[in-house]
Amino acid sequence: MSIALLTAILSGCGGSSPASGTDEAGSKEEPDRPVVLNVTSRAGLTTDQFNDLYGKYLTKKFPNYTFNFTQQRGSKILTQDMVAAGTPIDLMFESLSSLIDGVIEPGLGYDISELAKKENVDLNRFEPAALDAMKAMTGGKLFGLPGSMQVMVLTYNKTVFDKFGVDYPKDGMTWDEVFELANKLSRVQDGAQYLGLVASTSHVLKLSPFSLPYVDVKTNQSTFGDDKWKTILGTIFKGEGREPGFADVVKNNKNRLPGMDEFIKNQNIGMWVFFTDTSFFPGMEKMDWDMVSIPKYKELPNYGTQAYPNYICISGTSKEKEAAMKVLAYLTSEEFQMKLSRAGTVSSLRTESVKKALGADFPKKVNWGAVYYSPFAPSPAKGPYENLAEKALSNQIPAIVTGEIDVNTALRTAQDEADKAIKAAAAK
């Protein structure tokens, strides 16, 4: 999904190649023989985006390598289909969520630990949260390395706040405090309905600081009976439902929750909770905006949310694992990661100089400190049925916002639907 947006980041950096200079973590010399590496992604990456973001830099760094990218976005080709057809796969670019369908379920997982040692990749350079999130899904195995991270923040439209004379949000606010601001912004003005705050549903659910998986990996049962879900749903979605006019907006839109389009195109939402990638969406350049740290739950004041890494994985079926590892080492090198960070992409490295450089080349002055304001919450162990359970829960959210059902009913319904779906999937 958001991997695709990184294209705009690098292409906006003056076209200079991140491949220039010395690569500490990459290969120390180029291989003599030609190598063909086959690449794909379930995370929404297109062929053009791969070439713009990675391909043109990789071919310069590795002139004897040829990179063939198979696009899955917008096509009927899936990783499972490629495996069934015997299509070679060497590298997979996957988000945290697409690891399941793009690597684990097709049986392409391969522990690269020994290859990483051979290539002198120091795993201590990476944000622990990024590595832990993968290991939580792979039973402790290292199927790849995090190439970047996405972090949730609160992005706000200054014009909306100024219009109604409301103070801007600040780093470190709680959800309750932010909803107090939201209620001051939610109103009808000049025939337009304004909303104070909208949160990206799936992301505030799956990345909550309570570190709840949707499914218990030991029992393969949904976790929706856990009272922490009541706190999450009751805080965020009941909070949205209390904003004046919010429920009517949802009802009048066939129970579809407002989101990115309303925030950017219509500019009638004061605050939008999503990844920092919001910064790069078309239309943001026309908005007077800034960001602050994602609101905290009063029950967990010491954490923001979980991190959401984007991974580059090596396929277990690859016949060119060592060559693929050289590519992986380069893309996670300090040199390449520094370029990403300066452009406004959150690096997967914990290197202070890289973190401090976040957004240095971004064309607008932004509060990038919001990204690192709070520690990342731990990532829970996750299994293959996460996406099934997420759908069961997400389906209940509009009815909570509109007041048609209460939180307890929503969780019972989601639990029943999720457990049935998991049982059916496990029986196949």
Side-chain angles (χ1 to χ4, degrees), residues 148-330:
S148 64
M149 295 202 305
Q150 299 172 62
V151 177
M152 295 197 74
V153 293
L154 184 153
T155 303
Y156 63 97
N157 186 335
K158 290 184 176 181
T159 302
V160 175
F161 278 82
D162 293 343
K163 184 181 183 70
F164 301 126
V166 178
D167 292 338
Y168 300 151
K170 299 177 181 179
D171 289 330
M173 298 182 75
T174 65
W175 283 104
D176 291 343
E177 291 170 335
V178 169
F179 274 117
E180 286 183 20
L181 290 182
N183 290 335
K184 296 177 182 178
L185 299 173
S186 297
R187 65 182 76 180
V188 176
Q189 184 79 16
D190 300 326
Q193 172 69 61
Y194 286 84
L195 297 176
L197 181 143
V198 176
S200 175
T201 298
S202 64
H203 298 97
V204 293
L205 289 174
K206 74 175 68 178
L207 300 176
S208 86
F210 293 98
S211 302
L212 283 169
Y214 292 121
V215 181
D216 186 317
V217 294
K218 295 180 180 179
T219 64
N220 279 339
Q221 297 286 306
S222 67
T223 63
F224 300 143
D226 192 312
D227 281 349
K228 296 184 184 70
W229 284 114
K230 295 180 183 179
T231 300
I232 296 169
L233 270 58
T235 298
I236 298 180
F237 303 109
K238 292 295 288 186
E240 288 181 340
R242 285 190 288 268
E243 292 181 43
F246 201 116
D248 290 336
V249 169
V250 176
K251 290 177 182 177
N252 294 335
N253 200 21
K254 298 180 179 178
N255 279 339
R256 188 186 73 83
L257 295 170
M260 184 75 75
D261 281 351
E262 287 79 5
F263 180 67
I264 298 179
K265 294 180 181 179
N266 300 344
Q267 295 198 22
N268 61 350
I269 293 175
M271 296 174 282
W272 167 238
V273 176
F274 188 59
F275 296 129
T276 53
D277 283 358
T278 298
S279 309
F280 304 101
F281 274 89
M284 286 298 290
E285 72 281 358
K286 300 176 183 179
M287 183 189 297
D288 185 12
W289 62 274
D290 206 340
M291 68 173 72
V292 295
S293 61
I294 188 168
K296 299 179 179 182
Y297 290 86
K298 60 180 182 292
E299 295 85 355
L300 283 177
N302 295 325
Y303 287 109
T305 59
Q306 301 166 52
Y308 192 81
N310 295 316
Y311 297 102
I312 307 170
C313 302
I314 296 177
S315 170
T317 61
S318 173
K319 297 180 180 179
E320 298 288 357
K321 292 184 178 69
E322 291 191 1
M325 187 66 229
K326 292 182 184 296
V327 170
L328 180 49
Y330 168 64

Side-chain angles (χ1 to χ4, degrees), residues 30-31 33 35 37 59 62-67 322-324 326-327:
E30 296 298 331
R33 66 181 181 84
V35 173
L37 291 176
T59 53
F62 303 97
N64 294 319
Y65 288 10
T66 299
F67 296 89
E322 291 191 1
K326 292 182 184 296
V327 170

